[in-house]
Amino acid sequence: MKSKTSFPPQEGAAPPSRCPDNSAFKQQRLPAWKPQLTIASVLSSFFLTGAFCLAVGVCLVLSANSVREIQIDYSDKCSDCSKLRENSSNWNKECHCSVNFTLKEDILGDVFMYYGLQNFYQNHRRYVMSRSDAQLLGRNVNIQRSYCAPFSTYRNGTPMAPCGAIANSMFNDTIDLFYKRNSSVIQVPLLKTGNSWWTDKNVKFRNPESYNLSSAFAGTARPPYWHKPVYLLDEEDERNNGYVNDDFIIWMRVSAFATFRNLYRRVRRVRHFAEGLPAGNYTFRISYNFPVARFKGRKHVILSTVVWSGGSNPFLGIAYLVSGTAATLAGFVITGIHLKLRKKKTYFQKQ
């Protein structure tokens, strides 16, 4: 068997080439579309983009302005209850206040009730992470290993259900709406279910499996700031209890801004309210439980309709208008520069 002998490279010999192979792929000779930018194609793209954005922006702004909305700040009107709630020792004392208002015109169509908070920051990193998604799926997990601390367990080791700072700070004012018709007072029927996202209600939140909810949450305790356990959030509807309660699910979807609103109820379109809310005198009856004075916050209740583009926020329409205006102005500027340079070129050619 012959052994292979390696010889050192001869002096003066060229080193092996490191150039890529002479193929269409490695030499980038594959067929490709190489657009030739002309002044006509560039200007037409700018003007068409500007026209499209301006048209969409106008439609969005007009749509947002067609939304009927009434917003009432009840922070000062419920000042007595606010002072009562600032003392934590009064947590078990009920406090109610009423806010009167008048609708000068009918609000036709589906009417949505929101609660709004001002100066309430939900975008702090520790606050956003203070939850246990596994617990909210109904699993039996050790929440001490989660990010719920310090709202995970009590000193005696009893776990909180649900745990975390988000759940502990849940908005818990109760708001009822009454309509004064002639000499009678009619309570406006409100829907408390069907307000959350389908994916949240059916995918992200689950109750522990058991023959009833009270036994499912046995061995746990409510968060410190709650007045009742999680399985009694809605005592009228068992399907809207526990982790699948709509109010709880909506609150757990935190806001990116300090001023925000969350959907609270929908007006049920029956009897006197089949077409919406008729014009007249109304009263909000509020069970005040959520204090806001310590962080200089404000609370609102909003009645609003919606359109195909959403609520009354005109931000998206304004953004389209600004983009369309910028594209159109850029097209005119490029046109002026092109005409000026073409005149200079024509002048020098004549010389």
Side-chain angles (χ1 to χ4, degrees), residues 143-162:
I143 60 175
Q144 291 182 347
R145 297 181 180 178
S146 65
Y147 295 99
C148 288
F151 301 103
S152 55
T153 59
Y154 286 93
R155 293 182 179 179
N156 59 1
T158 304
M160 300 181 189

Side-chain angles (χ1 to χ4, degrees), residues 19-32:
C19 295
D21 297 337
N22 188 20
S23 62
F25 177 75
K26 293 188 176 182
Q27 295 297 334
Q28 298 184 8
R29 294 194 300 267
L30 293 174

Side-chain angles (χ1 to χ4, degrees), residues 204-267:
K204 295 184 179 181
F205 293 82
R206 285 281 189 275
N207 283 325
E209 294 184 0
S210 181
Y211 63 92
N212 59 38
L213 278 182
S214 60
S215 62
F217 290 99
T220 64
R222 58 177 175 81
Y225 291 171
W226 284 30
H227 295 166
K228 50 188 175 182
V230 65
Y231 55 85
L232 292 178
L233 288 179
D234 189 353
E235 300 180 16
E236 299 176 357
D237 188 357
E238 294 183 356
R239 297 172 297 178
N240 190 38
N241 248 324
Y243 296 149
V244 296
N245 177 264
D246 275 44
D247 293 339
F248 174 71
I249 292 174
I250 292 172
W251 178 259
M252 293 300 291
R253 184 175 287 276
V254 297
S255 173
F257 302 100
T259 299
F260 61 92
R261 64 176 63 177
N262 284 336
L263 181 60
Y264 182 66
R265 297 288 185 268
R266 291 176 295 129
V267 174

Side-chain angles (χ1 to χ4, degrees), residues 53-65:
C53 290
L54 288 174
V56 174
V58 170
C59 293
L60 289 175
V61 170
L62 293 177
S63 176
N65 291 336

